[in-house]
Amino acid sequence: MFQNIENIAFDRNCNVNGTQDFLRSIPCPIGQLCEDEDSPEHVVNGHQFTFFVLNTNQARFWYISLVSCYRSGVGDNCTWKSSSNENLNIDYDIWLANGNPFGPHRNPFEFQLSFDQQGTVEMYLGLLGLYLILVPLQVYAAVHQHHHVTRLYTTSLSLQLLFVFCSVVHMVKFAVDGVGWEILSTVGDVAHLFAQSLFMLLLLLLAKGWAITRTELTWKPLLFCVWLLYTLVGVLLYVWNRTEVDVIDDIDEYQTFPGWIILIFRLAIMVWFLYELRSTMLDENDRPKLRFYVHFGAGILVWFVYLPVVALIALQISALWRAKLLLGITSSADFLAYAIMAHLLWPTRSEQYFQLASESDPGEELEEFNEAPNNVPRPQKV
């Protein structure tokens, strides 16, 4: 690496003709600038050294490499020597910013973020606004309905809101101080994982005709065991992705081995969904409900398939734009799926297809009245 750098990097002792300001020697004197900083006016206040990177033509990734070696000699006699055998403990605090720290005008949502993350704060804020509209509406609907379908969907939607809220707080704080709340980001990711898992469980239950064609489910142990297995595998793969995959790799989460496993599981759940939906439609004779199953299955099939397709397309997109593309498409598709489900489960519409009890359901009250012990039929005259 240093064979290429030493020819172009400026060094006051070894390469005074160097054109690039790449090298800094540490440790620096306490409370003073590093010895390589010969222009104090270019150093950001409160710091000991500053690197300026100017590239207005094309965004790219830049890295800082900390190497345990030093340069010895003068002029052409300079050589690199290793210092790995020296017992040194170095404390450092490096601040990376994307913009001119001396400039009076800068975007607060971009200055602390890498180029591939710029724009994500605005995306999360927009999503938060949408979910803050959708969740209260669904809570209102859940209060007026008494069924596990509504409760399950409301729980999944609430977890999705928690994910977006945690992401917004983390990203906004990161945009302010460049650190953020990593633990809050992790909580949001876990909430998103469980939200997706519960939503898939709801889709499988509806595909089996629960609350539409039948009120009782068959093969409950198998269904919930597979769902629990999918959830546990998702958690394990998330931990694997966060701990074992090198963050410096030029890949996204769906280009890792855990990511591919998640996509395969998603496609397997999709096949099972279609199988259960077909079996339910064979047992259904009501034409409006059959029409509902067709439209419902087509829409959910798109939701299942879009993520693997987008992951494949992302392979051909530069890493500078890939994360924003994935976030924009996945977030929009998930919100659209939740919004459509909220529309289907709305109290005034769900009566067309779903068998959901509501507060104003006279049939439920009549059934309770008929089962009351004091409801004894009076003798009639003949």
Side-chain angles (χ1 to χ4, degrees), residues 195-216:
Q196 295 284 296
S197 179
L198 289 176
F199 191 69
M200 286 190 181
L201 175 62
L202 175 62
L203 296 179
L204 289 174
L205 292 174
L206 295 180
K208 292 178 71 68
W210 190 39
I212 303 176
T213 299
R214 57 179 65 94
T215 57
E216 292 294 332

Side-chain angles (χ1 to χ4, degrees), residues 98-305:
N98 200 346
N100 183 7
F102 299 103
H105 305 290
R106 61 192 185 201
N107 190 334
F109 290 152
E110 295 182 355
F111 184 66
Q112 302 280 5
L113 299 176
S114 176
F115 179 83
D116 60 315
Q117 293 181 317
Q118 290 180 353
T120 56
V121 179
E122 293 89 333
M123 289 184 186
Y124 279 123
L125 287 173
L127 281 174
L128 181 62
L130 293 175
Y131 278 104
L132 286 178
I133 296 174
L134 182 61
V135 172
L137 292 175
Q138 177 55 33
V139 171
Y140 169 82
V143 170
H144 292 78
Q145 292 174 328
H146 304 284
H147 199 279
H148 293 303
V149 167
T150 307
R151 298 189 186 100
L152 185 61
Y153 169 70
T154 305
T155 302
S156 176
L157 182 60
S158 301
L159 288 173
Q160 188 74 3
L161 173 62
L162 177 62
F163 155 66
V164 176
F165 176 77
C166 292
S167 300
V168 166
V169 175
H170 167 66
M171 293 302 297
V172 169
K173 187 175 184 297
F174 193 96
V176 173
D177 59 10
V179 179
W181 276 324
E182 192 63 31
I183 186 172
L184 200 61
S185 176
T186 302
V187 170
D189 291 339
V190 174
H192 178 63
L193 192 152
F194 280 99
Q196 295 284 296
S197 179
L198 289 176
F199 191 69
M200 286 190 181
L201 175 62
L202 175 62
L203 296 179
L204 289 174
L205 292 174
L206 295 180
K208 292 178 71 68
W210 190 39
I212 303 176
T213 299
R214 57 179 65 94
T215 57
E216 292 294 332
L217 291 175
T218 58
W219 298 97
K220 290 182 182 179
L222 176 62
L223 175 64
F224 286 98
C225 286
V226 172
W227 170 76
L228 183 60
L229 176 63
Y230 173 81
T231 304
L232 292 177
V233 170
V235 173
L236 293 176
L237 292 177
Y238 172 76
V239 174
W240 182 9
N241 197 31
R242 291 293 297 267
T243 57
E244 299 298 329
V245 178
D246 194 347
V247 295
I248 204 173
D249 289 338
D250 183 20
I251 56 177
D252 60 80
E253 60 178 313
Y254 298 114
Q255 295 182 33
T256 62
F257 193 64
W260 286 115
I261 295 178
I262 283 292
L263 293 179
I264 292 174
F265 264 85
R266 185 185 181 95
L267 293 177
I269 296 293
M270 179 196 69
V271 173
W272 190 15
F273 169 83
L274 293 176
Y275 171 78
E276 294 292 349
L277 185 64
R278 180 180 179 275
S279 300
T280 302
M281 293 178 66
L282 292 177
D283 296 334
E284 181 61 66
N285 297 320
D286 187 68
R287 294 185 64 85
K289 289 185 178 181
L290 285 173
R291 191 179 304 111
F292 166 78
Y293 279 128
V294 171
H295 294 290
F296 172 72
I300 297 304
L301 181 62
V302 173
W303 182 80
F304 271 114
V305 170

Side-chain angles (χ1 to χ4, degrees), residues 41-61:
E41 66 276 7
H42 292 161
V43 180
V44 178
N45 292 333
H47 296 77
Q48 294 180 292
F49 68 87
T50 298
F51 282 106
F52 279 93
V53 177
L54 181 61
N55 190 346
T56 58
N57 296 326
Q58 175 65 42
R60 55 167 295 183
F61 291 105

